[in-house]
Amino acid sequence: SAVISQKPSRDICQRGTSLTIQCQVDSQVTMMFWYRQQPGQSLTLIATANQGSEATYESGFVIDKFPISRPNLTFSTLTVSNMSPEDSSIYLCSVLGLAGSGANVLTFGAGSRLTVL
Amino acid sequence: GQNIDQPTEMTATEGAIVQINCTYQTSGFNGLFWYQQHAGEAPTFLSYNVLDGLEEKGRFSSFLSRSKGYSYLLLKELQMKDSASYLCAGGSYIPTFGRGTSLIVHP
């Protein structure tokens, strides 16, 4: 399966600032996603990062708040804009790929833990 | 809509067997996944069921009943390192995740 590198692994940010998270994959992948995992909550899909076009956002998430870039098939960034304490969460990059069983399985990066003060 | 339910927390003894249940209601179905997530780490894929029945993989097995919208993850010969959160996920092509079941294994 693909190996995913995310940075930063963690950061403490001030209210009102923005932070960009980078995701690098060791192979070309078609489907790349950004998830959020708030404390005690499930993984929530933010958006699908589309190469060469605008990301596809899930209900409750908008481009102005979470702009996403996908310049090629191995790299993507997620920006969390104008942060508030409610944005404190773990943000995970994920790719979809074939497992040995033949299933399309999500592989995740280690996540970026953001704390907004 | 998508709804995945699983217990919040379970405890078990080292060496024992534990079954983590998951019920789902999804608008589409492309299989049922189980992931393991240790604290501070990324979720890792454990198992996948798309047909009814039991899939066995070493100490871990997963069961699916599509008619009942029900799955379980069975962990045998529990080890301390099995203490983790176990996430049930299913639905359409991009799965929806449950909140996870925190499993605590004690000596």
Side-chain angles (χ1 to χ4, degrees), chain B residues 5 13-14 17 35 42 48 73-74 80 84-85 88 97 100 105:
Chain B
D5 284 320
T13 305
E14 192 175 16
I17 299 172
Y35 284 79
Y48 169 72
L73 180 69
L74 192 71
M80 298 296 290
S85 181
C88 176
F97 284 81
V105 180

Side-chain angles (χ1 to χ4, degrees), chain A residues 33 37 42 96 103-104 106 109, chain B residues 33 35 37 42 45 48 93-94 98:
Chain A
F33 310 95
Q37 188 174 31
S42 67
L96 197 63
N104 274 313
L106 288 170
Chain B
F33 299 83
Y35 284 79
Q37 186 177 25
F45 169 71
Y48 169 72
Y93 185 67
I94 305 170

